[in-house]
Amino acid sequence: MEDEVDRLVTAWRRERPDLDVEPLEVLSRVSRLARHLDRARRLAFSEHSLEPWEFDVLTSLRRAGAPYQLSPGQLLTQTLVTSGTMTNRIDRLAKKSLVERLPDPSDRRGVLVRLTEEGRDRADQALAGLLDQERAILAELSRAQRAELAALLRQLTAPFDNIPG
């Protein structure tokens, strides 16, 4: 079965036979898949009235386990945004009653961000919707193929995920 990347690679091999375009066969597919995944994520989240960034913050808190709270610094580490951006996001989520700010008992100047019950419900429902979308995307692959693909992708992404700073 031919796809758009096959056509792209064939055209480049014809036009630039002096170049090795083999990386395009993998990375152009990864790039195209990322765009499809982004669309699926946005659809799954919009069905629960969430933006992707809202889902990221809410699920960071949800994964923390009861009582579903983290410091703003911990949220920064998990979501890879600046402190100003995180402050804005927390403000917006608090206005929607999806999170609340609490004093940090271990630091008089600090705060903790806690998921509200509504925030937890919304995160759980959006995650279930996302997983349905992602299962559909992976439906053509066997369990063994999915495991092999996950291992190969981990090999590519781990060096980026483990860069200090």
Side-chain angles (χ1 to χ4, degrees), residues 45-99:
F45 303 151
S46 71
E47 290 174 356
H48 301 283
S49 301
L50 291 175
E51 294 293 327
W53 67 264
E54 292 173 312
F55 178 82
D56 289 344
V57 174
L58 295 178
T59 56
S60 292
L61 293 165
R62 181 66 171 100
R63 287 191 311 271
Y68 311 111
Q69 65 188 26
L70 294 169
S71 71
Q74 290 169 309
L75 284 169
L76 287 175
T77 300
Q78 292 192 22
T79 59
L80 301 174
V81 298
T82 65
S83 60
T85 298
M86 183 52 66
T87 298
N88 181 277
R89 288 179 176 187
I90 293 167
D91 289 345
R92 291 170 68 183
L93 289 167
K95 278 185 184 174
K96 290 182 163 187
S97 300
L98 299 176
V99 302

Side-chain angles (χ1 to χ4, degrees), residues 7 33 55 57 63 74 77 92 101 112 127-128 141 149 151 162:
R7 291 183 281 280
L33 180 58
F55 178 82
V57 174
R63 287 191 311 271
Q74 290 169 309
T77 300
R92 291 170 68 183
R101 283 187 173 92
L112 294 172
L127 177 62
L141 300 177
L149 180 58
N162 295 308

